[in-house]
Amino acid sequence: MPLYEYECKTCEKTVEVLVRNETEEPECPGCGDHDLEKLISVPASPAVKSAGGSSLPMAGDCGAPGGCCGGGACGI
């Protein structure tokens, strides 16, 4: 059962609605109206694991002498 994001044209709220099948007409949970516009959602990117097991590399975790400073901002 996919979860879709809609904008309600009546109450102008952005809502997430669980749609059970293609024939079901989604309803705004706020006002109960069916005048919804499906929004394009950006998919979540998969987490990248670093050697230390965290999702994102920490400062100094890139293997370069002096760590990772991002374009020389740290003055090394």
Side-chain angles (χ1 to χ4, degrees):
M1 290 184 274
L3 187 64
Y4 292 106
E5 193 172 30
Y6 292 91
E7 181 180 338
C8 179
K9 295 298 182 180
T10 304
C11 67
E12 299 180 350
K13 291 184 180 179
T14 300
V15 296
E16 289 182 341
V17 179
L18 183 67
V19 180
R20 290 172 176 60
N21 59 52
E22 292 179 19
T23 60
E24 181 181 2
E25 188 176 351
E27 176 180 297
C28 175
C31 68
D33 202 344
H34 294 275
D35 191 13
L36 301 174
E37 179 181 345
K38 187 187 262 188
L39 301 176
I40 298 174
S41 299
V42 178
S45 61
V48 178
K49 294 285 184 184
S50 69
S54 65
S55 296
L56 298 174
M58 300 300 286
D61 192 25
C62 71
C68 297
C69 296
C74 64
I76 294 176

